[in-house]
Amino acid sequence: DAKTTQPNSMESNEEEPVHLPCNHSTISGTDYIHWYRQLPSQGPEYVIHGLTSNVNNRMASLAIAEDRKSSTLILHRATLRDAAVYYCILSSGGGADGLTFGKGTHLIIQP
Amino acid sequence: DVKVTQSSRYLVKRTGEKVFLECVQDMDHENMFWYRQDPGLGLRLIYFSYDVKMKEKGDIPEGYSVSREKKERFSLILESASTNQTSMYLCASSLWGQDYGYTFGSGTRLTVV
């Protein structure tokens, strides 16, 4: 599986936008870029995913570089409830063979 | 909303016991997965299944087996529990195809004493 690289931790202030980066320089043409987050004592939660174009949903936006070697998860207005570990994952194989989780980025939100 | 329900939130078992962890999803998903999560090691895939009665080994299948007799239910079995299987166990499901996310359960924290 192609690997992703994320910062270990990031800190942001409440009500400000947050940009979480992810590098995936060995991505293949069929790899989807997935983002999940895990709040303390809970299972991971799907945030967003995309292939080539930027994507928006009610939780976040995903900006994908033109060469697809990097992507950025954007939380438009962080709240304390967004404090979590955020995972950037590449997925292939029809989605049926599991996601490989790295260490993710621990996002700290300051009030 | 899709729900993935794990039967127990916390479980304490003795070494050598046979342990069943149950997972049920209510949205007709084809794919189901079992992960374990340990501090410093992250989430690791144990087994997965893409259809009834089908199973595939993940990255760390040793000491575990699974059963999928019905589409909505995926069971993880520890034939003889050991202390190194103390962990958080997470079940997930997804539709077939690349264009879908996974839905995770809340997890079962298993302690083997």
Side-chain angles (χ1 to χ4, degrees):
Chain A
D1 288 340
K3 291 199 182 306
T4 63
T5 304
Q6 299 176 253
N8 288 334
S9 66
M10 288 183 64
E11 208 166 302
S12 184
N13 295 319
E14 201 176 6
E15 299 188 6
E16 289 185 359
V18 180
H19 291 233
L20 294 162
C22 181
N23 287 319
H24 29 78
S25 58
T26 59
I27 191 170
S28 74
T30 57
D31 283 334
Y32 277 70
I33 302 159
H34 286 245
W35 283 84
Y36 286 76
R37 71 180 187 181
Q38 188 172 21
L39 279 65
S41 302
Q42 295 189 27
E45 174 187 26
Y46 167 80
V47 177
I48 201 166
H49 77 291
L51 184 61
T52 56
S53 304
N54 294 344
V55 185
N56 299 299
N57 66 22
R58 63 175 179 81
M59 289 181 71
S61 295
L62 176 59
I64 301 173
E66 202 168 323
D67 63 6
R68 300 212 322 130
K69 294 182 184 234
S70 65
S71 61
T72 302
L73 180 71
I74 303 164
L75 307 178
H76 294 286
R77 196 163 165 267
T79 71
L80 295 177
R81 289 176 297 176
D82 291 320
V85 178
Y86 286 78
Y87 299 97
C88 169
I89 302 165
L90 302 183
S91 172
S92 60
D97 52 1
L99 299 172
T100 299
F101 285 77
K103 296 197 185 308
T105 296
H106 184 200
L107 177 64
I108 299 162
I109 305 294
Q110 298 288 358
Chain B
D1 276 354
V2 177
K3 280 206 169 41
V4 175
T5 303
Q6 295 184 229
S7 53
S8 304
R9 188 81 173 103
Y10 298 96
L11 211 51
V12 180
K13 295 292 182 181
R14 294 197 181 278
T15 301
E17 273 192 81
K18 189 169 186 176
V19 181
F20 292 85
L21 302 183
E22 305 287 348
C23 175
V24 177
Q25 50 94 4
D26 66 359
M27 284 300 288
D28 206 34
H29 283 181
E30 292 89 359
N31 306 323
M32 295 189 75
F33 309 86
W34 275 106
Y35 288 84
R36 65 178 282 178
Q37 185 171 27
D38 302 287
L41 296 175
L43 281 96
R44 293 177 291 167
L45 182 64
I46 305 171
Y47 265 98
F48 60 98
S49 168
Y50 54 86
D51 202 352
V52 175
K53 296 194 186 296
M54 304 303 291
K55 60 184 179 183
E56 297 287 341
K57 293 180 180 179
D59 299 319
I60 51 162
E62 296 79 18
Y64 303 95
S65 62
V66 290
S67 172
R68 193 163 180 205
E69 296 296 318
K70 293 185 177 182
K71 190 174 185 180
E72 67 271 18
R73 187 179 297 270
F74 192 35
S75 302
L76 181 70
I77 304 157
L78 288 65
E79 293 289 343
S80 177
S82 64
T83 54
N84 63 13
Q85 292 178 309
T86 291
S87 186
M88 171 68 87
Y89 289 88
L90 290 154
C91 176
S93 72
S94 75
L95 284 167
W96 176 265
Q98 281 277 49
D99 205 21
Y100 302 102
Y102 286 31
T103 301
F104 282 81
S106 298
T108 295
R109 184 162 293 284
L110 172 68
T111 302
V112 182
V113 297

